[in-house]
Amino acid sequence: MGAAMRRIHVGNALSAFGLGFTVPYLYVYVAQVRGLGPVTAGMVLAVFAVAALIVLPLAGRAIVRRGPLPVLLAALLTAAVGSLGLGLSASAATVLLSAAALGAGQAVMQPALATMIVDCSGPETRSRAFATQFFLQNLGLGVGGLIGGHLVDPTKAGSFTLLFSIEAAMFLLLVVVMSTVRMPRSPRIDGAPGQSAKGSWKQLLGNRAMVQLCVLGFVLFFACYGQFESGLSAYGVEAAGISTSTLGTALAANTLMIVVAQFAVLRFVERRKRSRVIASVGLIWAVAWAVAGYAGLGGASQEMATAAFVSTYALFGLGEAMLSPTLAPLVADLAPAGMAGQYNSAFALVKQLALAVGPAVGGPLAASLHAPYIVVFLLFSLGITVLALRLGRQLTAVQDQPSVAGSRVVAQSGAEQAPARA
């Protein structure tokens, strides 16, 4: 990795650390420590999602026009203001405004950092770069949550003020670090249409492969990430009799699987078609839902139910490790020259929509209708396989399997050199 890529990965890790550092404790902080009640606490979590949905369509155009680095620095400053504001807020209005700033800043960081990775990598290194990003994000989330949990004390508001102040300082430190990044100039293609440089949404929607990838991405995030902290946990408690401590163990198993398997899986993924890798993830997640069904509906002993439930999260982690070097590089390869920021923002917007809809649908269904919940999301997982195979028909050979391009270059180079040696 070059110096720029190393700093980008530091940015990814620290931004994820900040998310894990404070977000798990927001509800307790707002509802109990500040005494604003569960309604306001719920509104704060909703504001995070709404702020992201508002700013992401604008972020794409800003990245295309100004470049990803200035947009990232603005997002970091916004997040720092929001984090510090949350730590000092005592009224509902200031808490909601601060949450909106923090949510907007964190949402814009994702496509900005992803676009920087695209600009600093080539097709042959992009999958590994995004796999490293995902690895560091999960590591940052886990370490942030662990440290934050040891700092907070629900009986002392000052401990939460310290927590949010540290997060704000971390974002400001990240501004200094990222300001030293020297981004390569994005390549320009003569004769490229003007609307491409302007980041036209109309052009994006006209890209059939990108539209299909966005549909696939919505189903992926809806059927997996959108269920982690709502539907699946509710199902585990209500149907499988899982304790809250076991839920923590299951989430740890998910993170551990990603950390352990990420680079081993990368070797498997790099030489295979992306569409088939995503299709296999759908099958793995279908197995995960079947195992979850056994945990809650199979009449197993509590020990077996617990083991099955933890295995469900581990299987989801295996699928996530396969997706990280696949989805984001595919978004980048589908983007025309100069449009990576627009495409990354659009995909981040789809992800945010899925994460907003997933808990709203899965939570109530899992709590009351256990068997239908498992069947519905098992079918969604099989739908991922179908959608991925259909997407493969819209991709070029190089888009679906970048290693093909490398082999063709070698073959052509050998063919050209043979006459010279003769």
Side-chain angles (χ1 to χ4, degrees):
M1 292 185 297
M5 186 66 82
R6 285 196 295 271
R7 287 174 172 81
I8 293 168
H9 283 319
V10 168
N12 275 305
L14 290 181
S15 62
F17 175 86
L19 188 63
F21 199 54
T22 56
V23 170
Y25 314 106
L26 267 177
Y27 185 91
V28 173
Y29 172 67
V30 175
Q32 299 177 11
V33 177
R34 290 301 183 185
L36 298 176
V39 174
T40 304
M43 290 176 64
V44 166
L45 297 176
V47 162
F48 265 85
V50 172
L53 294 177
I54 291 173
V55 299
L56 281 172
L58 305 175
R61 294 184 68 87
I63 291 171
V64 170
R65 290 179 175 180
R66 304 295 181 185
L69 184 55
V71 174
L72 175 64
L73 297 179
L76 288 169
L77 290 172
T78 303
V81 170
S83 182
L84 185 60
L86 274 173
L88 300 174
S89 295
S91 67
T94 53
V95 163
L96 292 173
L97 286 173
S98 299
L102 180 58
Q106 287 181 331
V108 174
M109 289 179 206
Q110 299 177 32
L113 285 166
T115 304
M116 292 174 73
I117 290 177
V118 172
D119 290 344
C120 292
S121 64
E124 67 283 354
T125 61
R126 194 162 290 151
S127 292
R128 188 164 293 271
F130 276 104
T132 303
Q133 177 201 33
F134 190 68
F135 171 84
L136 291 173
Q137 281 179 341
N138 279 274
L139 200 60
L141 283 170
V143 173
L146 182 64
I147 296 176
H150 284 85
L151 288 178
V152 296
D153 183 350
T155 64
K156 297 179 181 179
S159 67
F160 285 88
T161 301
L162 175 63
L163 194 74
F164 287 107
S165 298
I166 292 174
E167 183 184 36
M170 184 203 65
F171 284 132
L172 295 177
L173 173 63
L174 199 49
V175 168
V176 176
V177 172
M178 299 309 291
S179 297
T180 65
V181 174
R182 295 292 176 262
M183 295 294 296
R185 290 187 177 183
S186 300
R188 294 186 178 182
I189 299 177
D190 294 334
Q195 63 177 10
S196 175
K198 296 178 180 179
S200 169
W201 281 91
K202 182 178 179 181
Q203 183 184 8
L204 187 152
L205 294 174
N207 187 329
R208 190 172 178 181
M210 183 61 189
V211 172
Q212 288 194 18
L213 180 60
C214 285
V215 173
L216 173 60
F218 181 89
V219 177
L220 279 165
F221 293 116
F222 174 80
C224 177
Y225 298 92
Q227 304 307 312
F228 269 8
E229 296 177 3
S230 59
L232 193 54
S233 58
Y235 169 84
V237 171
E238 297 292 338
I242 300 300
S243 65
T244 52
S245 61
T246 302
L247 286 177
T249 303
L251 287 169
N254 175 265
T255 303
L256 181 62
M257 174 62 80
I258 292 170
V259 170
V260 171
Q262 182 63 85
F263 293 104
V265 165
L266 181 62
R267 292 187 175 186
F268 171 81
V269 168
E270 282 182 323
R271 293 296 175 181
R272 284 162 178 82
K273 292 185 176 180
R274 289 166 168 170
S275 58
R276 293 183 181 177
V277 170
I278 300 172
S280 64
V281 170
L283 296 177
I284 291 171
W285 285 357
V287 173
W289 284 110
V291 173
Y294 168 76
L297 306 172
S301 65
Q302 190 58 54
E303 291 76 12
M304 291 297 295
T306 299
F309 192 76
V310 172
S311 299
T312 298
Y313 275 79
L315 286 169
F316 275 123
L318 177 60
E320 292 173 74
M322 295 172 67
L323 287 176
S324 61
T326 306
L327 276 180
L330 182 54
V331 173
D333 289 349
L334 289 176
M339 288 278 285
Q342 185 79 33
Y343 276 55
N344 282 322
S345 295
F347 199 73
L349 179 62
V350 167
K351 177 180 178 179
Q352 196 63 45
L353 282 170
L355 294 180
V357 175
V361 174
L365 184 62
S368 56
L369 300 171
H370 304 148
Y373 175 71
I374 293 296
V375 171
V376 165
F377 283 94
L378 192 152
L379 292 175
F380 266 112
S381 297
L382 294 176
I384 290 170
T385 300
V386 175
L387 289 172
L389 294 176
R390 290 186 61 185
L391 173 64
R393 302 188 192 116
Q394 298 295 325
L395 303 176
T396 65
V398 174
Q399 287 170 344
D400 202 13
Q401 190 175 357
S403 59
V404 172
S407 64
R408 286 178 178 172
V409 170
V410 172
Q412 288 175 357
S413 127
E416 291 171 355
Q417 291 174 3
R421 288 195 300 269

